[in-house]
Every structure is written in C-alpha cells, then in structure tokens.
Amino acid sequence: MIFDTHAHYDDEKFDPDRDELLLSLKDAGIGRIINVMSDMDSLESTRDLTERYPFVYGAAGIHPSDIRELTMEDMERVRQFCRHEKCVAVGEIGLDYYWDKDNPEQQRFWFEFQADMAREEKLPVIVHSRDAAEDTVSIAKEAGLADTGGVMHCFSYSKEIAKALLDMGLYLGIGGVITFKNARKLAETVEYSPLDRLLLETDCPYLAPEPYRGKRNSSLYLPFVADRIAEIKGITSEEVIRITRENAMRLFGI
Ligand code: NI
C-alpha cells in the first residue's frame, strides 16, 4: 500500500473527475493520502476531502506564495483546523525566493510563525523551499524543527543541504522529479539518504513523473517514482513502498 504524503486533490484540475479518481485509488494500491493546504480557500476543501474519504488526511498551513494578504484572523482559522481529528501536519509552509523575490521578510515571518504553531499543536511540518536553502536551514534550526519533526517536500537541493536536514531528523519528500533525465543531483541525494528518511509524494496535479511528464499528475503514477528509487537503491519497488509508508505513518502519527 502506497502512502502519498503530498497531494492537492482540491485543485480545480481535478474538478471533472475528482470523486471517480479518488475512489479508484484503493484498487491501484494507494492507501493513504495527505491533502496539503496552500491558501485560505483550500482550508474548507481540504477539510471536506478528509471528512468524505477515510483514507485522506489533511495538512493545515499557508504556502509562502500565498501569504501576502494573510491576517492573524486567517491564521486562527488555520490553527482551528490543526485540531481537527484528520489533520496530521502543518503545511505547506516555508520560503519561495524563486516565484516571490520581493517579500522575503514577510515569508520568513509566516514560516517561523507557522513552525511555532506546529510545535504548539504537536504536529510535524511539511516544508516548501525553493531557491532559499540557507534561510530554510537556519529557520529550521532556530524554530526547533528537530523537535517538531517534519518533511522537506519536493526536495531539490544538494547533498550538503540534505545532510543538514537529515541531521535534524527531518525527512525528504521525493516525487516525480526523480524520474526526470536531468535529475542527477537528486539521484545522488536519494542514493546518499537512508531509506528510512524518505517519503513518497506526488504534489499532484503538478510534477508528473516520466513517462507522463507535463501531464496532470495523480497518486496513480507513484509506482514510477518508487521504481526509480528502487533502481537507485538497488532494492525492490515493494521495499521502497513498504518502508516509505512506515516512515509516513511514524512521522504523521497515523
Ligand atoms: Ni504542494
């Protein structure tokens, strides 16, 4: 049974066939999904999915690209969702200096704020970080993520950054990018990282693996990711699926 630790099934790209697709996952061996919030609109849609489907869990948090208009009242609603029985993480939170270069201080403020909230609510974090490796590592240290626990989702940095995060006890989320032909650096990181610290994720509808690169992604394509990790590690895909599932159950307390 595959555990997809990062999905956005509330995205409008799933509007035409959301229920049909979600109901087909079990037969395809997908047993658990975390639907991750990104903006305030995704709070209710994520909560609805977790209440409708026993195998869907939620993560409560605001993505660094969606914090410009964020208020403390909004954050209070996010905190309330943290206390929902199906909410298992705070995320996605973090820094994105690739898409948003002009508000780094505002991004850091809300990353730290939500990391503190995760600790207070006793939930692990799901971190998004792009073009912001150094600031992410330093905030992770200052905010005590070694104690809070969490995953660096869609890990895309060097082996050195992986080491710094692994040393803090954090997990690395691996998705479709690992199947891309130009993903040599990421393949080195996967080879280097202990299997008991890796998680499978889609980030769907984004980042579909080969041979579906560029198409709409879904949990159905995760076997391609597991196969590539298995190839790098020299083990079977079944072992990758089993161990990453155990990792996710441990981290998210399911
Ligand atoms: Ni995401």
Side-chain angles (χ1 to χ4, degrees):
M1 185 265 279
I2 291 177
F3 195 135
D4 184 350
T5 60
H6 194 117
H8 301 283
Y9 279 109
D10 54 313
D11 190 282
E12 61 181 15
K13 292 199 177 65
F14 293 109
D15 284 353
D17 60 345
R18 180 175 296 105
D19 289 321
E20 213 183 322
L21 177 60
L22 284 166
L23 290 171
S24 75
L25 294 180
K26 203 175 160 206
D27 285 343
I30 317 296
R32 296 272 189 286
I33 293 163
I34 298 178
N35 201 77
V36 180
M37 266 182 72
S38 52
D39 57 14
M40 285 308 291
D41 287 342
S42 61
L43 194 157
E44 271 172 53
S45 49
T46 294
R47 191 180 52 211
D48 286 351
L49 287 171
T50 69
E51 290 174 355
R52 191 135 35 108
Y53 296 99
F55 55 91
V56 176
Y57 295 80
I62 305 297
H63 188 288
S65 297
D66 293 294
I67 43 112
R68 285 177 198 276
E69 315 281 318
L70 196 63
T71 65
M72 280 297 169
E73 287 73 34
D74 291 334
M75 196 44 64
E76 202 41 50
R77 288 181 58 211
V78 175
R79 188 186 290 272
Q80 287 306 318
F81 183 40
C82 288
R83 296 168 185 169
H84 188 286
E85 59 175 356
K86 295 290 291 291
C87 184
V88 295
V90 167
E92 53 190 297
I93 62 173
L95 303 172
D96 195 318
Y97 297 167
Y98 178 82
W99 291 109
D100 301 278
K101 297 177 181 35
D102 61 324
N103 64 345
E105 281 175 24
Q106 194 188 18
Q107 290 189 43
R108 286 193 288 266
F109 171 82
W110 284 113
F111 181 22
E112 288 171 3
F113 190 94
Q114 294 183 92
D116 288 346
M117 183 173 76
R119 195 187 56 243
E120 288 155 14
E121 299 298 328
K122 300 188 168 48
L123 291 173
V125 290
I126 296 174
V127 178
H128 169 104
S129 177
R130 190 155 181 206
D131 279 4
E134 282 177 21
D135 281 5
T136 301
V137 170
S138 71
I139 290 177
K141 281 184 182 153
E142 282 162 30
L145 292 192
D147 294 323
T148 309
V151 53
M152 183 64 57
H153 125 77
C154 192
F155 183 82
S156 59
Y157 296 130
S158 65
K159 217 160 75 175
E160 290 67 37
I161 299 294
K163 183 178 185 310
L165 298 167
L166 291 166
D167 285 349
M168 275 184 256
L170 298 173
Y171 291 74
L172 308 180
I174 307 296
V177 175
I178 191 64
T179 67
F180 297 174
K181 293 198 171 43
N182 55 357
R184 209 182 58 220
K185 199 177 71 176
L186 182 57
E188 280 171 20
T189 302
V190 166
E191 190 180 8
Y192 161 81
S193 304
L195 189 58
D196 66 3
R197 303 288 282 287
L198 300 182
L199 301 177
L200 293 183
E201 63 166 56
T202 53
D203 204 19
C204 65
Y206 311 106
L207 297 173
E210 293 287 2
Y212 297 102
R213 187 173 183 177
K215 302 269 182 356
R216 185 186 76 172
N217 196 8
S218 85
S219 312
L220 295 172
Y221 296 158
L222 274 175
F224 296 104
V225 176
D227 288 349
R228 181 69 186 113
I229 295 174
E231 190 179 31
I232 293 167
K233 291 286 199 191
I235 55 175
T236 65
S237 300
E238 288 70 30
E239 282 175 283
V240 172
I241 287 167
R242 178 178 58 82
I243 295 168
T244 53
R245 177 184 70 235
E246 289 168 358
N247 298 343
M249 302 287 234
R250 186 167 63 241
L251 175 62
F252 298 109
I254 293 168

